[in-house]
Amino acid sequence: FESLPERSRGVITEVLSQDPRPAVGREEEGRIHGAGLCGMEVKFRVEAGICHLVSVELAEGSGLKA
């Protein structure tokens, strides 16, 4: 995460702060969710109302270089 550009880190942080989990299944604490953001596949989980970043990987077909 730290190796991403500052703008990408800011966008990812802002989106995750808005709890982008689907409405169905929000009660499933600890479930890993994914979202495509800034050309990256971002995996996260929410436990006790706190979002934890699980992984950030280059999204396939994003056109970005690793």
Side-chain angles (χ1 to χ4, degrees), residues 11-43:
V11 168
I12 292 169
T13 299
E14 180 65 25
V15 169
L16 294 181
S17 75
Q18 301 298 315
D19 193 356
R21 295 178 294 168
V24 175
R26 281 194 180 206
E27 65 281 348
E28 294 180 48
E29 291 273 323
R31 178 178 175 182
I32 295 178
H33 298 274
L37 300 167
C38 301
M40 308 301 286
E41 181 62 30
V42 179
K43 305 258 174 139

Side-chain angles (χ1 to χ4, degrees), residues 38-61:
C38 301
M40 308 301 286
E41 181 62 30
V42 179
K43 305 258 174 139
F44 63 97
R45 64 179 163 49
V46 178
E47 293 179 334
I50 299 172
C51 184
H52 300 275
L53 192 58
V54 174
S55 66
V56 179
E57 298 176 359
L58 193 60
E60 189 173 317

